[in-house]
Amino acid sequence: MLFLLALAVRVVAWRATPDAAWPYSALYKGDALVFLEQARELQQGRVPELGLPIHPPGTPRLLALAWNGESSGFAAVRTLWVLLGALSAPLLFLAAEPGFGRRVAAVAAGGLASLHGSVSLSLSPGSEAPALVLLLAGLAVLARGPAPGLPAGALFGLLAGLACLFRVELGLAVLLLLAWLAWRARRPGPTLAAVAGLALSLAPWHLQA
């Protein structure tokens, strides 16, 4: 239900405005054109930004997979971002419900599904929507169950590392979540597994850069 609510709000916000055929929304442009140009370079076998680590690599690589490189593919790209934005609402519910209860989790997820800021970030191909989905998925993995084990820790690390490949600023949030994991697990194994998963996600980009 949360996913359908979030999806409906985003589809209406996208299709009901004059910019529906644009590659980005007038509500929030961000770095959409930069990422689309980088995706085109990747499709042509070129290295964006001379190989320098100026922008995180996640968004242009996702776009290179989802976009056909032509204006006819803008609708497919924006559809993917709308779906990613809608997915964040149920993921927030799954992450918040174990610790705060169904009512608080539903209110928070309902806000994420319908508030202006979160909707706007789903209407343009930027880094925010996929990064949020990945981080919330990792947080949900940690939150479910009595105490995280090695598989949960490793999966969180992988998802958190992928999120940082879209938004490097999330590294600070990941550090806090690692501290929370260490406190909640009461043993070092899950935290070490999370660090290993994090390193596995980030290592290829750092070695390439």
Side-chain angles (χ1 to χ4, degrees):
M1 182 64 70
L2 283 167
F3 175 77
L4 294 177
L5 169 64
L7 182 62
V9 171
R10 283 156 177 76
V11 169
V12 170
W14 168 27
R15 302 306 301 176
T17 53
D19 59 7
W22 296 7
Y24 57 87
S25 169
L27 289 174
Y28 178 71
K29 178 181 178 181
D31 289 327
L33 294 182
V34 173
F35 290 138
L36 287 167
E37 180 58 32
Q38 290 181 353
R40 183 181 280 114
E41 291 177 349
L42 288 169
Q43 291 170 342
Q44 296 171 351
R46 293 186 287 151
V47 179
E49 299 180 327
L50 302 176
L52 299 174
I54 299 174
H55 287 87
T59 304
R61 279 162 174 74
L62 178 58
L63 282 170
L65 294 174
W67 183 38
N68 64 3
E70 305 291 340
S71 59
S72 60
F74 291 156
V77 167
R78 294 190 66 178
T79 298
L80 174 59
W81 254 253
V82 163
L83 291 170
L84 288 171
L87 188 59
S88 64
L91 286 173
L92 176 59
F93 178 85
L94 291 175
E97 190 267 339
F100 298 95
R102 292 183 64 85
R103 180 177 300 178
V104 172
V107 170
L112 187 60
S114 57
L115 290 179
H116 172 79
S118 62
V119 173
S120 299
L121 293 177
S122 306
L123 301 181
S124 295
S127 58
E128 295 84 3
L132 181 61
V133 164
L134 289 165
L135 190 63
L136 286 175
L139 185 56
V141 168
L142 291 186
R144 312 302 292 186
L150 291 177
L155 182 55
F156 164 75
L158 285 169
L159 292 170
L162 291 174
C164 290
L165 291 178
F166 286 89
R167 294 290 296 187
V168 295
E169 301 91 336
L170 290 179
L172 296 175
V174 172
L175 289 177
L176 291 174
L177 289 173
L178 285 174
W180 178 62
L181 171 61
W183 172 81
R184 191 162 182 259
R186 305 293 183 181
R187 52 196 176 92
T191 306
L192 293 176
V195 172
L198 185 67
L200 185 62
S201 295
L202 297 176
W205 183 49
H206 284 278
L207 292 175
Q208 178 184 343

